[in-house]
Amino acid sequence: MDSHTEVYFEASVGGGIPIIQGLNEGLSANHVQSIFGIINGTANYILTKMGMGKSYVDALREAQAQGFAEADPSLDVNGGDTLNKLAILASLSFGERIFPDEIYQEGITEITAQDIRYAQEICDHEIKLLGIAKQRENNLIQVRVHPTLIPSQHLMAAIKGVFNGIYVIGDALGPAMFYGQGAGELPTASAVVSDIIYIARSIHLQVAGRLPSVYYRPKSGQRILQVEPISELDSQYYLRFTVKNEVGVIAKISNVLGEKNISIQSVIQKGQDQKEEVHLVIITYTAKEKNVVSALEIIDRMPIVTHSTLKIRMEKIDD
Amino acid sequence: MDSHTEVYFEASVGGGIPIIQGLNEGLSANHVQSIFGIINGTANYILTKMGMGKSYVDALREAQAQGFAEADPSLDVNGGDTLNKLAILASLSFGERIFPDEIYQEGITEITAQDIRYAQEICDHEIKLLGIAKQRENNLIQVRVHPTLIPSQHLMAAIKGVFNGIYVIGDALGPAMFYGQGAGELPTASAVVSDIIYIARSIHLQVAGRLPSVYYRPKSGQRILQVEPISELDSQYYLRFTVKNEVGVIAKISNVLGEKNISIQSVIQKGQDQKEEVHLVIITYTAKEKNVVSALEIIDRMPIVTHSTLKIRMEKIDD
């Protein structure tokens, strides 16, 4: 692209929230250390409604009836829309192009209203679909989209319904959050018109094409930042097993977790009143993703396990 | 000031939060309808600690020990610092200079830990020191600083400790919030350096002095916006009476309120175990400030009333 062409895209992430300019200019003195974004209002609306007891299907139908979700809501609920927006946020934050196909993606379609209630009851957490980008040591970065348990007391947990919030941690600024409506005619227009006013001010003085606020490192030759594979992630996990209502189930499952170096913080059995099968919810201490995956491969083949296990990563956000 | 001189002051409100640029540029397509700011971290820290049961004096002492409050914390706790910052926010938002001496000011020194607990118990509200600026009809504006009861479920209630938050409602954008650290060496540096980077980019292209992003209406001649006197405010009120532990007290007080056209939403008597005097907390429906003031003048002269009554305004924020 011609260096004298300026492209503005404030409405591309977070609707009317001035997050693009915030990252480009307001936080220009910072090295961004991490970003946590609730940047798909439809998914957040569905999770909020499920937190009030609605089923996934009913919550989705309601989102469509309200005009939030598209007739085909795939990109909203499978994390694809969040992923595309995270690619923009991560690129601006880290000063290097992060491409969508480098980002780990998981949606909310496996989450049930029960999981949201368990998370609240067992460890006072909420489930949010987050886009997460983190600087790690040795020029590694994490870029991932997945449902996430976050502490109910955290400000991000208070973002309800179709609202969006982008939580940024800068090395100088510390944590900051930008909050507002992520979609809708007028909020989007608010962002687009702010871009037009900005560029009109430049054109008025014939200074369009001024020094851009973001620099990417050279793309040719070697790239500096590398994406850490999701298998290397260290995280706490919420694991929801669906098992036969039999004695000894906890022992069998926890044996496998122990063999894979996964320590258990708490185990709760739910649905004892149901005769045939029960839920077993395990919160782990910090474990390696690949160990959790390989433990679940073993566990999910056990005859006592009646459905494949749901695993949700946990984030403290401010740690 | 020479029109070719640009002045940048991002650090003046909300420390590292890019709220000045947010109002000037991100929200430039909006008519700002109202602003609610938690913009003094020390006062918010004190109220947060009081919400955890600490006395005002202990909370203030702790804020000083932590280095948040000045040795003379007057401007933090009497609302003066919030007022000066609100003058900046209101001027940028409304496009007309709003001067500090036009702003109503009340601090947090009369609030007790008991009031915070009562507000939580009786109506699930938190007490925050807010700077409030609102556009009203007929070119009237409200600009006021005072402790305020806000619903505990509101995002602004989740702003704890020394953090700041500025909640802005724009006509296109709807509600938005900017959140972060309002003070401290590095957050402040983050804001100052972002200004320097911004101006350096302009100087690089020799375009410093470009069209400013904010216009004030002509100051000479007539002014367009007028400040509504606080006496004309319509608000719900939290009234905490300290009265003798006698039969008939509620009747005497509610009679006076009724005479002044003040409807009562709830009455709770607190501290019945204390022999001599009790607290009577009344939440009113929306009433006119001047009526409340004149009712309290009468009530506070009654022999049954042992201390002057505390009145705290309530805000729903999003209505």
Side-chain angles (χ1 to χ4, degrees):
Chain A
M1 191 178 292
D2 182 325
S3 67
H4 290 282
T5 305
E6 291 186 56
V7 177
Y8 289 83
F9 46 92
E10 184 58 74
S12 63
V13 183
I17 307 169
I19 181 61
I20 303 296
Q21 191 175 41
L23 289 174
N24 280 348
E25 305 199 343
L27 272 72
S28 56
N30 287 259
H31 284 117
V32 172
Q33 296 175 319
S34 45
I35 295 190
F36 303 85
I38 295 173
I39 43 187
N40 182 282
T42 304
N44 201 54
Y45 180 89
I46 291 171
L47 291 173
T48 302
K49 288 291 169 181
M50 288 167 71
M52 296 155 73
K54 285 217 158 53
S55 71
Y56 172 79
V57 171
D58 285 349
L60 172 57
R61 201 170 291 143
E62 200 176 307
Q64 287 172 315
Q66 299 270 335
F68 302 138
E70 304 290 331
D72 175 4
S74 310
L75 284 176
D76 291 323
V77 298
N78 72 11
D81 176 70
T82 298
L83 181 149
N84 288 328
K85 291 167 177 169
L86 183 65
I88 295 172
L89 295 180
S91 298
L92 295 178
S93 298
F94 299 152
E96 187 152 12
R97 277 295 295 279
I98 311 298
F99 294 92
D101 62 9
E102 300 181 278
I103 300 178
Y104 176 81
Q105 174 182 355
E106 209 174 281
I108 60 167
T109 50
E110 303 301 314
I111 309 287
T112 68
Q114 279 181 316
D115 292 307
I116 296 177
R117 206 179 62 241
Y118 294 163
Q120 291 166 345
E121 287 173 10
I122 294 171
C123 54
D124 200 18
H125 276 55
E126 296 288 335
I127 300 178
K128 295 289 186 188
L129 179 63
L130 293 189
I132 301 174
K134 282 191 191 181
Q135 283 268 19
R136 310 282 293 161
E137 290 171 356
N138 303 321
N139 289 323
L140 285 176
I141 56 169
Q142 291 177 357
V143 276
R144 46 195 169 97
V145 173
H146 52 72
T148 315
L149 265 75
I150 63 174
S152 299
Q153 295 310 309
H154 196 279
L155 198 57
M156 289 288 278
I159 297 175
K160 306 285 188 193
V162 291
F163 276 85
N164 281 199
I166 299 108
Y167 198 87
V168 189
I169 303 181
D171 57 351
L173 178 59
M177 191 176 84
F178 299 76
Y179 166 90
Q181 296 189 70
E185 217 169 279
L186 281 170
T188 306
S190 170
V192 172
V193 175
S194 80
D195 280 345
I196 294 172
I197 292 174
Y198 188 92
I199 195 72
R201 289 169 50 222
S202 298
I203 291 171
H204 179 84
L205 280 195
Q206 299 183 298
V207 301
R210 64 204 274 266
L211 210 57
S213 52
V214 179
Y215 300 87
Y216 292 123
R217 301 192 184 94
K219 281 188 287 282
S220 59
Q222 79 286 19
R223 164 154 171 187
I224 293 173
L225 296 178
Q226 299 297 334
V227 174
E228 186 182 78
I230 191 78
S231 56
E232 296 301 318
L233 179 69
D234 293 307
S235 175
Q236 284 192 275
Y237 293 84
Y238 164 101
L239 304 174
R240 188 250 293 153
F241 301 92
T242 311
V243 294
K244 289 183 189 157
N245 195 354
E246 288 179 11
V247 174
V249 166
I250 292 181
K252 285 176 187 162
I253 287 176
S254 54
N255 274 342
V256 178
L257 296 176
E259 282 163 20
K260 296 291 178 185
N261 260 321
I262 300 160
S263 296
I264 294 172
Q265 185 179 80
S266 64
V267 185
I268 314 270
Q269 190 172 303
K270 289 283 184 181
Q272 190 58 46
D273 48 327
Q274 295 158 40
K275 288 272 160 45
E276 297 297 315
E277 58 182 32
V278 293
H279 282 160
L280 198 69
V281 177
I282 292 185
I283 308 292
T284 75
Y285 284 107
T286 299
K288 183 81 59 195
E289 170 100 6
K290 62 183 168 197
N291 292 347
V292 174
V293 168
S294 88
L296 294 186
E297 275 171 10
I298 296 169
I299 292 168
D300 282 358
R301 282 199 304 265
M302 290 177 165
I304 50 163
V305 174
T306 56
H307 292 91
S308 57
T309 299
L310 178 71
K311 126 180 146 277
I312 312 179
R313 298 168 193 87
M314 300 175 72
E315 279 285 338
K316 293 201 177 62
I317 295 187
D318 280 314
D319 60 352
Chain B
M1 191 179 293
D2 182 324
S3 67
H4 290 282
T5 305
E6 291 185 56
V7 178
Y8 288 81
F9 47 92
E10 185 57 75
S12 63
V13 183
I17 307 168
I19 181 61
I20 302 296
Q21 193 177 38
L23 289 174
N24 280 350
E25 305 199 343
L27 271 72
S28 57
N30 287 259
H31 284 116
V32 172
Q33 296 174 319
S34 45
I35 296 190
F36 302 85
I38 296 174
I39 42 186
N40 182 282
T42 303
N44 201 53
Y45 180 89
I46 291 171
L47 291 173
T48 302
K49 288 291 170 183
M50 287 168 72
M52 297 156 71
K54 285 216 157 56
S55 72
Y56 172 79
V57 170
D58 285 349
L60 172 57
R61 200 170 291 142
E62 200 176 305
Q64 287 172 315
Q66 298 271 336
F68 302 138
E70 304 289 331
D72 175 5
S74 310
L75 282 177
D76 291 322
V77 297
N78 72 12
D81 178 69
T82 297
L83 182 149
N84 288 328
K85 291 167 177 168
L86 183 64
I88 295 171
L89 295 180
S91 298
L92 295 179
S93 298
F94 298 152
E96 186 152 14
R97 279 294 296 280
I98 311 297
F99 294 93
D101 61 9
E102 301 180 276
I103 300 178
Y104 176 80
Q105 175 182 357
E106 210 175 280
I108 60 167
T109 50
E110 303 300 315
I111 309 286
T112 68
Q114 279 181 315
D115 292 308
I116 295 176
R117 206 179 64 243
Y118 294 164
Q120 290 165 344
E121 288 173 8
I122 294 171
C123 53
D124 199 19
H125 277 55
E126 295 288 335
I127 300 178
K128 294 290 184 187
L129 179 63
L130 293 189
I132 300 173
K134 282 191 191 181
Q135 283 268 18
R136 309 284 291 163
E137 291 171 355
N138 304 322
N139 289 321
L140 284 176
I141 57 169
Q142 292 177 357
V143 276
R144 47 196 170 95
V145 172
H146 52 72
T148 314
L149 265 75
I150 63 173
S152 299
Q153 295 309 311
H154 196 279
L155 198 58
M156 289 289 278
I159 298 175
K160 307 285 188 191
V162 292
F163 276 85
N164 282 199
I166 300 107
Y167 197 88
V168 189
I169 303 181
D171 57 353
L173 178 57
M177 191 177 85
F178 299 76
Y179 166 90
Q181 296 189 70
E185 217 168 279
L186 281 170
T188 306
S190 170
V192 172
V193 174
S194 80
D195 279 346
I196 294 171
I197 292 173
Y198 188 93
I199 195 72
R201 289 171 48 223
S202 298
I203 290 171
H204 180 83
L205 281 194
Q206 299 184 298
V207 301
R210 66 203 273 266
L211 210 58
S213 53
V214 180
Y215 300 86
Y216 292 123
R217 301 194 184 92
K219 281 188 288 284
S220 59
Q222 78 286 20
R223 164 156 171 185
I224 293 172
L225 296 177
Q226 299 298 333
V227 174
E228 185 182 77
I230 191 79
S231 56
E232 295 301 319
L233 180 70
D234 292 307
S235 176
Q236 283 191 275
Y237 293 84
Y238 164 102
L239 304 174
R240 188 251 294 153
F241 302 92
T242 312
V243 295
K244 290 183 188 157
N245 194 353
E246 287 180 10
V247 174
V249 166
I250 292 181
K252 284 175 186 161
I253 287 176
S254 52
N255 275 342
V256 178
L257 295 176
E259 283 163 18
K260 296 292 177 183
N261 261 320
I262 300 160
S263 295
I264 293 172
Q265 185 179 84
S266 65
V267 186
I268 313 272
Q269 190 172 302
K270 289 282 182 182
Q272 190 59 44
D273 49 326
Q274 295 157 41
K275 287 276 163 38
E276 296 298 313
E277 59 181 31
V278 292
H279 282 160
L280 198 68
V281 177
I282 291 184
I283 308 292
T284 74
Y285 283 107
T286 299
K288 184 78 64 193
E289 170 100 6
K290 63 184 169 197
N291 292 348
V292 174
V293 168
S294 89
L296 295 186
E297 275 172 9
I298 295 168
I299 293 168
D300 281 358
R301 282 198 306 265
M302 290 177 165
I304 51 164
V305 173
T306 56
H307 291 89
S308 57
T309 299
L310 178 71
K311 133 181 139 275
I312 312 179
R313 297 167 194 88
M314 300 173 74
E315 279 285 340
K316 292 201 177 63
I317 295 187
D318 280 312
D319 62 351

